[in-house]
Amino acid sequence: MQVILVDPTDDTMFASWYRVYAAGVTHDRVDVPLYSMDEFRLMLSEDPKTRPWGREVAAAVRDDEVVGGSFIDWPERDNLNHGEFLLAVPAPLRGQGIGAALYDHAIARLAERGRTTLATSVDQPIDGPEQPAVGFLTRRGFSRVNIEMRRALDLPLPEGRLDELHEKAARASSEYRSLTWVGHCPDEYAEQYTRLKSLLSSQAPLGESGYQQEVWDLDRLRGEEKLLDQQGRTPITTVAIAPDGSLAGHTQLMIPKDDDGRVFQWDTLILPEHRGHRLGLLLKVINLRRLIEEDPSRTRVQTWNAVQNGPMNSVNNELGFRSVEESQEWERHLVTT
Ligand SMILES: CC(C)(COP(=O)(O)OP(=O)(O)OC[C@H]1O[C@@H](n2cnc3c(N)ncnc32)[C@H](O)[C@@H]1OP(=O)(O)O)[C@@H](O)C(=O)NCCC(=O)NCCS
């Protein structure tokens, strides 16, 4: 067996990689979110000079057949010691050393780039049997550093629910106004918005993960918007504006072009000095309303939050999100000599 990097412009090889990777990632799980093949290809084709993350995929090949796949990525603007990977082997092929070969390859690729904190995630369905990755990673010196819960909100919401929640949140936040945009951030707010994007990466609870605050500037923001345009993903963003005109927080939903009715909750952040006014609930309610106007055919929103993130989880509970599976974050520190 050999592990080789896959060229995303090699249609046949890339399609085999995707088929096998998707089979490995989705096995035994519920309503699994996964980038489409085109979305992956676009992410892998970003300009190396400007991309915020480097990315590559590899295939384990045995007797000319792809039998396993990996996705390897590493930040290039911040967190320069950090590298991530995800390995996937279809269930019927597990326990034959394919995962181990993909692992050795991924670690070597990240170590070559000087990445000493290696991170990956394990998706553990609630009440399901323990995923094989737990033992696999433990035996390779990894420990679990954080647990996020993937939760889903079924749409449409019960009649009147959003009105009720809107009224409640608006009462506590009457000094703030809100602004919603679909697609790109207006120029007027772009600079401030990059500050929120950057802070989100350090303000959301990360457990024992060593991941540091991300560096966001206008180039990174516009670069992300360009990639989303190419992927056919439409972001809907609502911000809170404080009485002095500054941004107090934001929330964002992402509508993929074709993903079986799913919508993804991306960022939500209220700056510490503006917390306690029910702005988190207000922004989410306004954004959901806009989503329903923009695309009433969507059937559910999926979100991920650290289990210890009390305030965010309580907003999500009020909205009616239900738990689907844990997304556990695992890390290992390479010893360098
Ligand atoms: C985790 C995952 C990638 C492991 O893949 P796998 O191909 O079953 O892994 P391997 O066969 O290499 O290793 C599993 C065990 O099989 C055993 N094994 C059986 N036959 C083997 C062989 N011929 N050669 C090597 N190992 C063999 C080994 O004991 C190994 O145990 P170890 O962890 O002590 O080394 C796979 O379960 C998977 O795709 N899970 C879903 C995706 C996921 O959760 N990824 C985890 C995040 S990276």
Side-chain angles (χ1 to χ4, degrees):
M1 181 171 42
Q2 251 191 313
V3 178
I4 53 167
L5 287 179
V6 176
D7 174 358
T9 64
D10 177 342
D11 290 347
T12 311
M13 188 60 188
F14 192 60
S16 301
W17 170 83
Y18 185 77
R19 186 174 38 77
V20 169
Y21 182 81
V25 166
T26 55
H27 177 72
D28 252 355
R29 292 175 55 205
V30 183
D31 199 18
V32 183
L34 184 67
Y35 282 106
S36 71
M37 197 161 82
D38 280 345
E39 288 175 326
F40 264 117
R41 199 197 314 268
L42 286 157
M43 280 197 292
L44 292 161
S45 311
E46 276 197 293
D47 183 347
K49 291 198 290 294
T50 52
R51 65 189 181 187
W53 283 73
R55 301 180 173 112
E56 62 190 23
V57 296
V61 180
R62 190 173 61 193
D63 300 330
D64 292 332
E65 286 280 319
V66 175
V67 288
S70 64
F71 179 78
I72 306 169
D73 57 346
W74 56 92
E76 292 194 320
R77 300 238 179 147
D78 43 57
N79 288 286
L80 297 179
N81 61 340
H82 180 96
E84 301 189 2
F85 62 89
L86 213 112
L87 316 175
V89 178
L93 299 172
R94 291 183 185 167
Q96 301 173 18
I98 300 167
L102 287 165
Y103 173 83
D104 289 345
H105 174 266
I107 297 310
R109 296 291 299 171
L110 292 169
E112 271 169 31
R113 296 193 154 82
R115 308 299 163 137
T116 49
T117 299
L118 307 176
T120 185
S121 57
V122 176
D123 297 296
Q124 175 64 57
I126 295 166
D127 301 330
E130 184 176 270
Q131 286 286 320
V134 168
F136 181 91
L137 292 169
T138 305
R139 287 189 291 277
R140 285 165 179 77
F142 281 73
S143 45
R144 199 171 59 190
V145 292
N146 199 19
I147 301 179
E148 298 214 330
M149 185 63 76
R150 174 159 69 97
R151 310 175 90 204
L153 175 68
D154 295 316
L155 300 176
L157 269 74
E159 183 75 33
R161 186 75 185 128
L162 284 179
D163 293 341
E164 198 184 300
L165 291 172
H166 194 167
E167 207 174 295
K168 177 173 168 183
R171 267 202 304 273
S173 57
S174 56
E175 289 175 17
Y176 294 82
R177 24 188 210 103
S178 72
L179 174 73
T180 301
W181 64 78
V182 178
H184 297 196
C185 175
D187 285 339
E188 185 189 348
Y189 291 108
E191 198 79 56
Q192 283 196 68
Y193 185 58
T194 59
R195 183 166 163 255
L196 296 179
K197 298 286 287 180
S198 175
L199 283 172
L200 179 77
S201 58
S202 60
Q203 296 259 326
L206 295 176
E208 290 156 46
S209 165
Y211 196 72
Q212 302 288 312
Q213 187 168 316
E214 293 175 352
V215 174
W216 280 78
D217 56 15
L218 282 179
D219 285 350
R220 181 166 184 173
L221 176 66
R222 297 306 185 201
E224 182 183 87
E225 289 171 344
K226 183 177 161 204
L227 176 63
L228 293 169
D229 285 346
Q230 290 169 338
Q231 290 177 319
R233 293 190 151 218
T234 306
I236 302 181
T237 311
T238 296
V239 292
I241 304 176
D244 67 359
S246 65
L247 295 189
H250 72 296
T251 192
Q252 185 170 57
L253 289 167
M254 191 62 62
I255 314 180
K257 187 171 52 181
D258 34 36
D259 197 0
D260 188 25
R262 287 191 193 86
V263 174
F264 297 106
Q265 173 71 52
W266 279 26
D267 309 2
T268 301
L269 172 71
I270 305 299
L271 292 175
E273 59 273 29
H274 296 290
R275 290 181 192 159
H277 301 279
R278 308 257 42 195
L279 286 171
L281 179 63
L282 182 78
L283 295 188
K284 281 201 161 186
V285 168
I286 294 172
N287 225 28
L288 278 167
R289 281 200 155 138
R290 185 59 176 264
L291 163 69
I292 293 159
E293 274 168 39
E294 292 290 324
D295 188 347
S297 73
R298 297 287 160 164
T299 55
R300 62 222 185 273
V301 178
Q302 299 207 342
T303 189
W304 286 257
N305 292 107
V307 291
Q308 69 275 28
N309 191 345
M312 192 77 271
N313 290 325
S314 104
V315 167
N316 288 337
N317 284 340
E318 279 187 279
L319 287 164
F321 277 87
R322 60 187 160 79
S323 298
V324 179
E325 71 181 355
E326 283 180 10
S327 178
Q328 307 175 350
E329 288 156 7
W330 289 69
E331 280 183 12
R332 174 192 164 189
H333 299 284
L334 283 187
V335 181
T336 47
T337 48

